[in-house]
């Protein structure tokens, strides 16, 4: 006949193998991303710039709908 186990025997201990797996996956992710960042920096891309530095905002459009369903713009 088996002895009845106590609650102290039922608690799992600290598992190191899953923690090592997680650390290796995180390390692999950062190594791959570091290589991608280096490649991105090596691209000599020049973004277009506007000829004038002042930008104008578009005119505000006001749309109103009356109770009878009539639509008015500005």
């Amino acid at each position: 006949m088996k002895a009845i186990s106590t609650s102290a025997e039922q608690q799992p201990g600290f598992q190191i193998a899953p923690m090592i797996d997680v650390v290796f996956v995180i390390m692999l992710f950062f190594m791959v991303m570091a290589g991608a960042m280096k490649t991105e920096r090596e691209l000599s891309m020049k973004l277009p710039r506007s000829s004038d530095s002042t930008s104008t905002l578009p005119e505000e459009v006001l749309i109103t709908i009356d109770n009878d369903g009539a639509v008015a713009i500005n």
Side-chain angles (χ1 to χ4, degrees):
M1 183 176 225
K2 259 180 142 179
I4 299 175
S5 61
T6 61
S7 63
E9 291 176 12
Q10 292 177 355
Q11 292 180 353
F14 181 73
Q15 299 291 321
I16 192 72
M19 296 302 291
I20 291 173
D21 291 343
V22 169
V23 168
F24 281 134
V25 168
I26 292 172
M27 187 173 65
L28 180 66
F29 172 76
F30 283 114
M31 287 171 58
V32 168
M33 290 309 296
M37 288 178 147
K38 182 180 177 186
T39 305
E40 191 174 315
R41 263 187 265 129
E42 290 174 356
L43 295 174
S44 57
M45 223 183 318
K46 293 185 180 178
L47 298 174
R49 295 180 183 233
S50 64
S51 60
D52 60 346
S53 62
T54 60
S55 63
T56 58
L57 296 175
E59 184 179 323
E60 185 176 302
V61 177
L62 180 64
I63 300 173
T64 56
I65 302 174
D66 294 334
N67 288 337
D68 59 353
V71 178
I73 299 176
N74 284 346

